[in-house]
Amino acid sequence: DRLRSRGLGDVYKRQEEARADILKLAVMAASPEDALTVMNATAKVRHYYSNRPMLTMAMGKWGVLTRITGEGFGSDLTFASVGGKASAPGQIPAEDCLNVLEVLHNAMNPQ
């Protein structure tokens, strides 16, 4: 099934209503459109509903996109692999992840 932005937003809203300390969403992305849907839902929740810390990611080949661009859409955290052992599909090595995150962060937040 294709992911739906509205349904993902509802997951976040239920977590917000339950007063979760961190809102979390982890799904499998089967396409670039799925990755975009995850980031769209994250951006909407961040903009309209919550300022709580958010952890958003998709797994798999297309999920990599969500893991490294999350900051731009409102996700505060990501997961990366350490020691060459990924705990989920789509994790990239922590060192590579940090390099990419720093480049994107600095480009979005020029001094």
Side-chain angles (χ1 to χ4, degrees), residues 1-45:
D1 290 350
R2 291 177 42 104
L3 298 176
R4 293 176 307 199
S5 180
R6 181 177 171 102
L8 298 178
D10 290 342
V11 171
Y12 279 129
K13 288 181 204 173
R14 286 194 304 273
Q15 292 178 34
E16 174 78 24
E17 290 167 1
R19 302 180 55 81
D21 293 327
I22 298 174
L23 309 183
K24 181 183 177 190
L25 178 71
V27 297
M28 181 63 74
S31 67
E33 293 83 6
D34 282 353
L36 185 58
T37 298
V38 170
M39 292 293 90
N40 186 45
T42 301
K44 286 181 179 178
V45 169

Side-chain angles (χ1 to χ4, degrees), residues 29-110:
S31 67
E33 293 83 6
D34 282 353
L36 185 58
T37 298
V38 170
M39 292 293 90
N40 186 45
T42 301
K44 286 181 179 178
V45 169
R46 172 60 72 219
H47 185 75
Y48 296 111
Y49 300 108
S50 182
N51 286 319
R52 290 182 193 219
M54 292 174 61
L55 171 54
T56 300
M57 78 196 88
M59 295 173 283
K61 170 183 174 178
W62 299 111
V64 172
L65 299 170
T66 68
R67 292 172 181 273
I68 61 171
T69 62
E71 177 184 6
F73 295 92
S75 183
D76 299 298
L77 304 165
T78 193
F79 278 91
S81 63
V82 177
K85 295 184 180 187
S87 61
Q91 285 181 351
I92 59 177
E95 302 80 21
D96 294 339
C97 186
L98 181 59
N99 289 333
V100 173
L101 291 174
E102 285 180 346
V103 167
L104 292 175
H105 177 82
N106 291 337
M108 289 187 297
N109 302 285

